[in-house]
Every structure is written in C-alpha cells, then in structure tokens.
Amino acid sequence: MKAGEQGQILAVNAGSSSLKFGLYALGARHPHLSGSFEGLEPGGTPRLKQAGQAEQALALSAGQTPFDAALQALQTLLAATPNLRAVAHRIVHGGGLFDGPVRVDAQILARLRRFEPLAPLHQPHNLDGLQRFAQAWPGLPQIACFDTAFHAQLPAEEQRYALPPASEEPALAGVRRYGFHGLSYDYLNQRLHEHSARARASGARALLAHLGNGASLCATRAGRSIATSMGFSALDGLMMGTRSGAVDPGLLLHLLHQGWDAARLEDLLYRRAGLKGVSGLTADMRRLRASSEPRAQEALRLFAYRLRREAGSLIAVLGGLDVLAFTGGIGEHDAVLRADLCTGLGFLGLRLDAEANAAALGEAIRPLHAAGSSIEVWVVPTDEGSVAAAQAAALLHFS
C-alpha cells in the first residue's frame, strides 16, 4: 500500500513570517512531503523552501497577501494528496483549559485568543493561521496541539507562584506556571526512549534543552515533566534570541515608575532583548560566533552562563542527572555551546566526546558522551509536526 492511502495528516506551524508544513501518512514517523514558506510578513516576498529543491519565489496577484500566496501554493502541492484527513496546528498556549489536542470551532478559537498576551510572538499568528486553514479547507478537521500540554501535570509546587489565591485576588485567576516547547519535548522523550536504555530505566532523570530563537529547559523523571524554565508566559527562564528570559519583577516596577507603559515593556522584553539586545547586532547565533565585536562575545558568554545556571537549578530539582539532550536550531548545531554546558557540568562526572560533538550537525540523533561518562548526552533533531500529526490522528480515532 502506498504512503497515505489510509489517510494523511497535514501538520503546520504558522508564525509571523513563516509557515512550516509536513504531510504525514497515518502512523508514519517522518513526513513524505515537507518544507516551509518564508517571507510571509506584510510586504514580504513569499518563498517556498523544500529539501533538495531550489528555493521558489511565489508571485502575488492583485490584493493578495504573502500568506494568501503561500496557502494557495500549498493547496496546489496537496492537490493530488489522497485522503487528507485533518490539519494539525502547533498552538503555543492552551492555558489551563486544554491538556491535550482539541478540534477547533469558533467558540474554542475565541477562548484561545484570550492567551495571545501571554505569547504575543506566537499565539496570534498560530491562531490566524488556523483560521485561514479552516477557510481554505472547510469541513476538514482543524486540530490544535498545544506546547503547554506536555507540562499539564507539573507538581503543584512547580505550578504555584508565591502570590495570594484567586479567591482573594480575582485578577490572579489562571496565574500559574505552564511551560512551553511541549511538542518538542514530547518528541525528544519518545526518541530517547527508543535509543537509550538509561532513558527507559525506571525513574530516569533527564534534562531536555530546546535551544533556538525561543529557548527553554525541561526536567523529566520517567518521561514526565516535573519542572521547566518557562512559566506563565513564553518569556521566562533562559535568555533567548530576542527575549530577555527571567528578570527581576522589581525592574518592571522601576520602568513603570519611569513612565513606561505595557506596550513599551512588551516590546523591550520580547523583541529588543536577548542575544539581539545584548549584542546590538543579531539574534542569529551563527553570525554572533563569526563576529569579533565585544558586544557579540558578551552576548555569547551571557547566553552560555544563563543556560548553565538554569540547568543547575533543574538538576537540583531532579536530585541528579542520567541523561542530557539537546535540540532546536542552536542545540542541534552549536557544538561550542553544547561543550560549554557539558564542561560546566563536569563536576557531576559528565564527560563529552569532543569528536562526536564536533561532528553532530543536527542531521540525526547521536550520542555525544565519552566512555565512562556518568551522564549520557544526546543531540536529537526535533520534529514537532510528527507529534502534532500523531495527536490529531489519535483524537479523531484514525488508524
């Protein structure tokens, strides 16, 4: 039987300027068609990128937006697709309402819109994309798959902030730590269990590092999330590409007293901080590595320090460490950063294989630990679409 004859799921991730897609046959781990559209920001030049093919510029007709052009091109690509059963969407924030995938209707979409202020770089674009797909494929199930769902069962002490209960302060209703990058962590968890006997062991303690333009850490015990660096929003924790990560709340109060408003604070913390803000150059780790500018080097040192500091706190929560895994654009490709963290954890008996680390370029899952290391180290190229497609198929009882 050819791929897809039993049915296929289209997994998509709509961003502010891009649309990633993968077409998965039911039960398949890997997509048999995948790629991304770039340049989808207002006024942008839309382009289609597919592995092994030359980049293709898309023509815009009169009145057509770049996203319109991308959606039209995707419909053309899928015109001969047999038995397309659903579209699975990566949605960053499900709040406390959704701890698993859900078929989206107008009412659920409106409820998800309420979380846009908590993830302004992602949630509005995720939901706009979902709405456009529903219009383009009316009647086809649109399934929301949430980054927060992997962390839905965090221990109470991990969820709680040291604030009064909502019964005393109603404005604090729903204020808790949620955690993000859950589709990626779900995928890492699955792949580690396939490749590592230590990860499969009862009570295995793992630290998962999703490091990209957005960055976070997740501590798991026996494959279950017990702590994570991101909290109520996708802003907390590690320094990121343009996001600050954790800052003293007193700093925000100070800026408010200086006359700043919420919009200016949001712009600073989400768009003008992180690697780009510290370096004054870029959020691109590759360009920073190639730069000799003092501020670029300062940004690299701070990123590595904040990673090591946050890792130490989560390892303390775990009570030790058995497995460390890297993923994301930086985690999969930046051997220098991986080596820096592993050196910093050397006091735990972690020993990195320098040759294996230097050779790992994100093309396949690889072990990076040296013989005799007390901790296994892996690099795992992530595939959030695979998890979203599987979740959608399970929700709709496809087999």
Side-chain angles (χ1 to χ4, degrees), residues 280-365:
L281 297 173
T282 179
D284 189 325
M285 183 68 86
R286 295 163 298 185
R287 289 180 58 193
L288 293 174
R289 290 281 180 212
S291 175
S292 60
E293 291 293 326
R295 285 182 61 182
Q297 297 305 307
E298 180 184 9
L300 293 170
R301 288 194 300 271
L302 185 57
F303 190 94
Y305 173 77
R306 291 286 293 272
L307 176 61
R308 187 165 67 251
R309 189 176 189 273
E310 194 74 35
S313 70
L314 292 184
I315 293 169
V317 170
L318 286 168
L321 191 62
D322 301 303
V323 178
L324 170 64
F326 294 92
T327 196
I330 296 173
E332 294 170 27
H333 297 94
D334 196 314
V336 175
L337 184 69
R338 292 194 299 257
D340 186 280
L341 179 59
C342 290
T343 299
L345 299 180
F347 68 96
L348 295 173
L350 189 158
R351 300 292 179 265
L352 187 68
D353 183 323
E355 185 174 336
N357 182 51
L361 299 175
E363 75 287 355
I365 182 170

Side-chain angles (χ1 to χ4, degrees), residues 59-374:
L60 289 175
S61 59
Q64 192 177 43
T65 69
F67 194 93
D68 289 334
L71 200 56
Q72 183 178 37
L74 184 58
Q75 287 179 301
T76 301
L77 278 176
L78 301 178
T81 297
N83 205 8
L84 182 61
R85 307 287 290 275
V87 183
H89 298 261
R90 179 202 176 195
I91 306 296
V92 167
H93 213 311
L97 298 178
F98 304 104
D99 59 4
V102 63
R103 183 169 180 171
V104 177
D105 57 20
Q107 183 180 21
I108 288 177
L109 181 63
R111 296 170 79 183
L112 292 173
R113 291 283 187 191
R114 289 157 43 190
F115 303 121
E116 290 184 356
L118 307 185
L121 299 187
H122 302 90
Q123 192 86 349
H125 308 294
N126 295 162
L127 298 180
D128 288 347
L130 189 153
Q131 195 164 13
R132 298 297 301 282
F133 271 84
Q135 294 166 352
W137 277 280
L140 193 66
Q142 306 293 323
I143 309 301
C145 303
F146 300 100
D147 267 332
T148 47
F150 186 71
H151 310 287
Q153 303 303 315
L154 285 171
E157 59 272 22
E158 177 67 16
Q159 293 186 27
R160 182 71 189 272
Y161 286 107
L163 296 170
S167 59
E168 296 179 12
E169 290 288 352
L172 297 177
V175 172
R176 47 157 282 200
R177 296 180 62 83
Y178 290 103
F180 298 90
H181 290 133
L183 296 177
S184 180
Y185 289 137
D186 195 337
Y187 183 82
L188 262 66
N189 193 46
Q190 294 177 35
R191 298 291 277 159
L192 287 172
H193 278 229
E194 292 171 2
H195 287 80
S196 167
R198 187 176 294 187
R200 293 192 299 270
S202 176
R205 302 161 299 180
L207 182 64
L208 312 180
H210 181 108
L211 307 175
N213 194 50
S216 71
L217 295 174
C218 177
T220 66
R221 183 176 289 120
R224 178 177 173 179
S225 175
I226 66 164
T228 186
S229 60
M230 283 183 170
F232 177 64
S233 72
L235 186 61
D236 199 7
L238 298 174
M239 175 181 172
M240 305 178 221
T242 64
R243 282 171 269 175
S244 65
V247 297
D248 184 343
L251 167 61
L252 308 185
L253 294 174
H254 169 74
L255 293 175
L256 288 172
H257 288 310
Q258 299 301 311
W260 286 45
D261 61 12
R264 190 175 178 188
L265 285 175
E266 180 180 292
D267 186 54
L268 172 71
L269 299 175
Y270 277 99
R271 301 176 182 88
R272 298 196 295 115
L275 288 169
K276 184 176 182 180
V278 176
S279 71
L281 297 173
T282 179
D284 189 325
M285 183 68 86
R286 295 163 298 185
R287 289 180 58 193
L288 293 174
R289 290 281 180 212
S291 175
S292 60
E293 291 293 326
R295 285 182 61 182
Q297 297 305 307
E298 180 184 9
L300 293 170
R301 288 194 300 271
L302 185 57
F303 190 94
Y305 173 77
R306 291 286 293 272
L307 176 61
R308 187 165 67 251
R309 189 176 189 273
E310 194 74 35
S313 70
L314 292 184
I315 293 169
V317 170
L318 286 168
L321 191 62
D322 301 303
V323 178
L324 170 64
F326 294 92
T327 196
I330 296 173
E332 294 170 27
H333 297 94
D334 196 314
V336 175
L337 184 69
R338 292 194 299 257
D340 186 280
L341 179 59
C342 290
T343 299
L345 299 180
F347 68 96
L348 295 173
L350 189 158
R351 300 292 179 265
L352 187 68
D353 183 323
E355 185 174 336
N357 182 51
L361 299 175
E363 75 287 355
I365 182 170
R366 287 173 176 257
L368 305 181
H369 45 277
S373 177
S374 63

Side-chain angles (χ1 to χ4, degrees), residues 9-31:
I9 305 288
L10 177 65
V12 300
N13 181 1
S16 61
S17 62
S18 66
L19 173 65
K20 299 176 183 178
F21 65 90
L23 188 64
Y24 297 80
L26 292 180
R29 168 62 60 76
H30 303 290

